[in-house]
Amino acid sequence: MSTVESFAPTPMFFTDAAARRVKALIAEENNSSLKLRVYVTGGGCSGFQYGFDLGDQAAEDDTVIDNDGVSLVVDSLSYQYLVGSTVDFEEGLAGARFIIKNPNAQSTCGCGASFSV
């Protein structure tokens, strides 16, 4: 007897550090409806590049991930490249920035802003 397995995509992860930073940005802008939008575009030194934007709109087909009262929003086209990824925020000698840890990336550039699949 054979069995059929269905595989649901691994979700994206929105870390506490990233959520805290979005909360701080919301407080600075005094706009509680702001969301962090993460997207993928063509370009960059590795073929695709990550983008981040703050906005108060979410489309009907966006994926919304909530953490501690704030939202991460990803459009459906970008989501296919980001399934299983972790969106984080780091502060260090190079400055403060949102970063993506993407298990789908075959290679990334040195700064981590672009990738190939």
Side-chain angles (χ1 to χ4, degrees):
M1 184 163 121
S2 65
T3 60
V4 176
E5 293 181 356
S6 66
F7 295 96
T10 304
M12 287 183 63
F13 302 96
F14 183 28
T15 68
D16 293 344
R20 279 192 302 273
R21 180 61 182 151
V22 173
K23 264 191 172 182
L25 293 169
I26 287 170
E28 285 176 27
E29 295 294 322
N30 197 26
N31 182 350
S32 62
S33 63
L34 289 177
K35 301 160 186 44
L36 177 65
R37 178 171 293 281
V38 178
Y39 56 92
V40 173
T41 59
C45 51
S46 295
F48 294 101
Q49 60 188 4
Y50 302 115
F52 299 94
D53 191 21
L54 277 178
D56 56 8
Q57 301 295 316
E60 190 175 299
D61 64 341
D62 284 344
T63 297
V64 179
I65 302 158
D66 294 312
N67 183 347
D68 197 23
V70 296
S71 298
L72 170 73
V73 181
V74 184
D75 65 271
S76 59
L77 184 60
S78 297
Y79 188 80
Q80 65 184 329
Y81 297 106
L82 297 170
V83 169
S85 295
T86 300
V87 177
D88 200 1
F89 182 77
E90 69 177 15
E91 293 183 78
L93 295 175
R97 64 186 179 144
F98 288 102
I99 59 168
I100 296 180
K101 297 170 187 159
N102 187 345
N104 305 306
Q106 298 293 322
S107 64
T108 59
C109 68
C111 68
S114 69
F115 68 101
S116 66
V117 288

